[in-house]
Amino acid sequence: MPSPFRPHTLLVTAAILIKQDGTILLAQRPEGKTFAGLWEFPGGKVEVPESPEAALVRELHEELGITVQPDSLKPFTFVSEECATFHLLMVLYLVREWENEPIGREGQNLAWVPTNKLGEYPMPKADAPLVPQIQTLLG
């Protein structure tokens, strides 16, 4: 019998920022946040009434200080995962164009990582399965 409890869906959006040399930006979750110390693709929650694209443009500016034009976001894939108290739906975009150099505005460490080294960075459960897809695309 199915559970009467239906967790809400949390919609988040993330960017795979790719420099011209092919490296990809990872951000390390800062102390005090869920999954602290793990590496992830930057992004965040979609707020009502934002579109995923508008949320990602906002999050990248807030977290990294970069400006991304919505038409620079190229849909890549998504992750759908049951978590303890919610269902995660994460939409990912490839981003190759932005203004300013990314900096960790929330105290997070940043790393530009070669595609073949992505698997060496510990990631949250939702991000880790994306590594082979990215390596196939950019390898």
Side-chain angles (χ1 to χ4, degrees):
M1 182 170 187
S3 166
F5 175 71
R6 180 73 185 136
H8 72 283
T9 297
L10 178 62
L11 180 59
V12 299
T13 186
I16 299 165
L17 291 162
I18 307 164
K19 279 175 62 170
Q20 281 191 314
D21 66 4
T23 56
I24 294 172
L25 186 70
L26 293 180
Q28 190 175 35
R29 304 272 306 168
E31 291 301 318
K33 289 201 171 190
T34 307
F35 305 123
L38 297 180
W39 294 85
E40 67 182 357
F41 303 104
K45 295 177 189 171
V46 177
E47 304 291 343
V48 176
E50 289 178 312
S51 68
E53 296 81 8
L56 187 55
V57 167
R58 175 185 53 77
E59 287 281 351
L60 292 173
H61 186 262
E62 290 174 2
E63 290 182 13
L64 303 175
I66 63 173
T67 302
V68 177
Q69 298 304 318
D71 61 355
S72 294
L73 303 175
K74 305 302 178 205
F76 177 58
T77 191
F78 69 93
V79 172
S80 181
E81 178 182 312
E82 286 295 333
C83 298
T85 59
F86 61 92
H87 186 93
L88 174 70
L89 182 60
M90 180 167 61
V91 182
L92 286 107
Y93 295 87
L94 299 173
V95 182
R96 295 177 189 266
E97 298 173 7
W98 59 87
E99 295 173 19
N100 304 322
E101 187 62 30
I103 57 170
R105 296 176 84 182
E106 297 179 343
Q108 72 275 42
N109 292 319
L110 302 177
W112 287 103
V113 181
T115 308
N116 64 344
K117 303 282 185 192
L118 286 173
E120 297 176 14
Y121 288 74
M123 296 181 168
K125 186 179 170 189
D127 290 67
L130 299 168
V131 170
Q133 290 182 46
I134 295 166
Q135 289 172 330
T136 298
L137 177 73
L138 303 175

